[in-house]
Amino acid sequence: MIVDQAVYREGVRYECADPSADLERLRQEETGFLWIGLRDPTKEEFAAVDDELRLHPLAVEDALTGNQRPKIDVYEESIFVSLKTLRYIEETSDVETGELMMFVGDRFVLTVRNGEANPLAGLRAGLEHNPERLAHGPLAVMHAVLDHIVDTYLQIDAELADDLDDIEEGVFLGGRDTQGTDIYKLKREVLEFKRGAVPLVLPLRRLVSGEARSLVPKKLRPFFADVLDHLLQVVDHAENYEHLLSDILSTHLTQVSVRQNEDMRKISAWVAIAALPTMIAGIYGMNFDFMPELHWRYGYFAVMGVIGAACVGLYALFRRSGWL
């Protein structure tokens, strides 16, 4: 559905009654642009907007198919941008993924949002309070959207760093509360984070310093370069998190193996201690005809004393060896 549509002249918002007529007027006047925002549109709703804007068919196909890899495609008269929107859920430490597609053309911007992650309502309102920025046209909106998405990546980066610190502290301080499933879950969320951020680096770099640089006005190039710097920072951190989590998981598994060995040594030591009285009890539980200790002065007291001394000796030996 259409969540918002408006015409902007010199950065000032005007209501849009008929997108086709307003767009034609903007092209004749060669000033201002039209911004239409869609959210989870049906094929019929998207087709209606396509008839008015005359979008590139390949970009339309990508938009209708969805689940696109983050990219920036440059066509003859328009630019198609596909982005992964991310949201960090505090209660579960999950990274939720959505999708945002943007069409930038001659005097128009079309944003198509799928999913709940990272709404753009606040972004449009913020831009409308900065008419000088909006006056730069559709590419200013494109930069604002990219900057907003990457800023969200930075926030999620900080949240993942905190989660990683907690797990690292739990593992290396010898705590038993950290489970392998916790480490694997965070590793999966980092991979989800990377799937949104890493593929965007190359197309954004082409836009900043590659063959698509000529499409960006000189005044806006430093701002796109700043977005790229923040994105590279996020990607670098995500790569480090993935390597650290692999090391932490390996360390955790080693610790689990060591603890299991320690438990087995303790069990073996107690079994060895219990073996002697068990053996004696087994032997004397049989019906012997001749038991010489029956005629000893201290009889069974001497036998039990010897057994007790042997058990104490075994216990002391295992304690010194660290088995108990």
Side-chain angles (χ1 to χ4, degrees):
M1 64 177 179
I2 297 178
V3 294
D4 198 359
Q5 61 181 15
V7 171
Y8 296 89
R9 291 186 175 90
E10 299 299 327
V12 179
R13 176 184 176 121
Y14 297 90
E15 293 305 314
C16 175
D18 184 349
S20 296
D22 288 335
L23 183 59
E24 186 64 29
R25 191 177 302 111
L26 290 170
R27 286 171 174 167
Q28 291 176 357
E29 296 172 356
E30 296 185 353
T31 182
F33 63 95
L34 171 68
W35 184 357
I36 300 176
L38 301 179
R39 174 183 169 185
D40 298 319
T42 64
K43 290 185 178 180
E44 292 75 15
E45 291 171 338
F46 193 88
V49 175
D50 183 23
D51 289 339
E52 296 172 347
L53 302 182
R54 293 188 287 276
L55 305 172
H56 195 282
L58 291 178
V60 171
E61 182 182 353
D62 289 342
L64 291 175
T65 304
N67 294 322
Q68 298 295 312
R69 181 181 175 89
K71 60 181 179 178
I72 301 176
D73 290 336
V74 178
Y75 298 104
E76 293 178 0
E77 298 180 352
S78 64
I79 301 174
F80 173 70
V81 182
S82 175
L83 302 169
K84 293 295 184 183
T85 59
L86 302 175
R87 182 175 64 174
Y88 182 83
I89 302 176
E90 190 71 36
E91 295 77 13
T92 59
S93 298
D94 290 337
V95 177
E96 184 182 274
T97 302
E99 189 173 33
L100 173 68
M101 287 164 286
M102 182 167 42
F103 298 81
V104 180
D106 182 20
R107 302 295 169 186
F108 73 85
V109 177
L110 171 64
T111 53
V112 183
R113 179 163 57 91
N114 296 322
E116 294 293 334
N118 202 16
L120 295 178
L123 172 66
R124 186 189 282 250
L127 284 173
E128 290 175 354
H129 285 86
N130 189 0
E132 294 83 4
R133 188 176 180 185
L134 269 179
H136 288 290
L139 282 171
V141 176
M142 177 178 168
H143 163 263
V145 171
L146 286 168
D147 188 49
H148 180 68
I149 298 297
V150 173
D151 282 347
T152 305
Y153 292 172
L154 288 170
Q155 296 171 10
I156 297 175
D157 178 21
E159 297 287 355
L160 292 176
D162 290 340
D163 292 342
L164 178 61
D165 289 341
D166 292 340
I167 285 193
E168 191 173 20
E169 182 178 347
V171 170
F172 288 99
L173 290 183
R176 291 176 177 258
D177 294 336
T178 302
Q179 303 294 325
T181 52
D182 299 329
I183 302 173
Y184 176 77
K185 182 176 181 294
L186 181 57
K187 189 176 178 67
R188 186 183 62 187
E189 299 307 319
V190 170
L191 289 174
E192 187 75 14
F193 183 47
K194 286 182 63 179
R195 277 195 290 267
V198 173
L200 186 59
V201 171
L202 185 58
L204 190 54
R205 182 174 281 138
R206 286 201 302 264
L207 198 65
V208 171
S209 59
E211 62 273 14
R213 185 185 183 191
S214 59
L215 298 173
V216 181
K218 289 184 178 180
K219 290 184 178 180
L220 292 179
R221 288 175 188 171
F223 296 97
F224 279 94
D226 183 64
V227 175
L228 177 60
D229 287 340
H230 291 166
L231 181 62
L232 290 173
Q233 176 184 339
V234 165
V235 170
D236 184 54
H237 289 175
E239 296 286 353
N240 291 335
Y241 298 158
E242 186 177 13
H243 293 312
L244 281 172
L245 283 169
S246 296
D247 294 340
I248 291 172
L249 181 59
S250 177
T251 301
H252 173 71
L253 295 176
T254 301
Q255 289 178 342
V256 170
S257 178
V258 169
R259 286 197 291 265
Q260 288 176 343
N261 290 336
E262 290 175 351
D263 293 340
M264 287 303 299
R265 286 202 301 268
K266 291 179 181 180
I267 293 171
S268 299
W270 285 113
V271 168
I273 293 172
L276 184 59
T278 301
M279 180 186 67
I280 299 299
I283 293 175
Y284 281 90
M286 300 178 184
N287 189 13
F288 279 86
D289 292 333
F290 177 71
M291 296 184 181
E293 70 275 7
L294 293 176
H295 304 288
W296 293 355
R297 181 176 180 179
Y298 297 104
Y300 282 107
F301 292 104
V303 174
M304 297 307 295
V306 172
I307 295 173
C311 290
V312 170
L314 287 173
Y315 178 80
L317 175 63
F318 290 135
R319 286 285 292 180
R320 284 197 301 271
S321 64
W323 284 37
L324 291 174

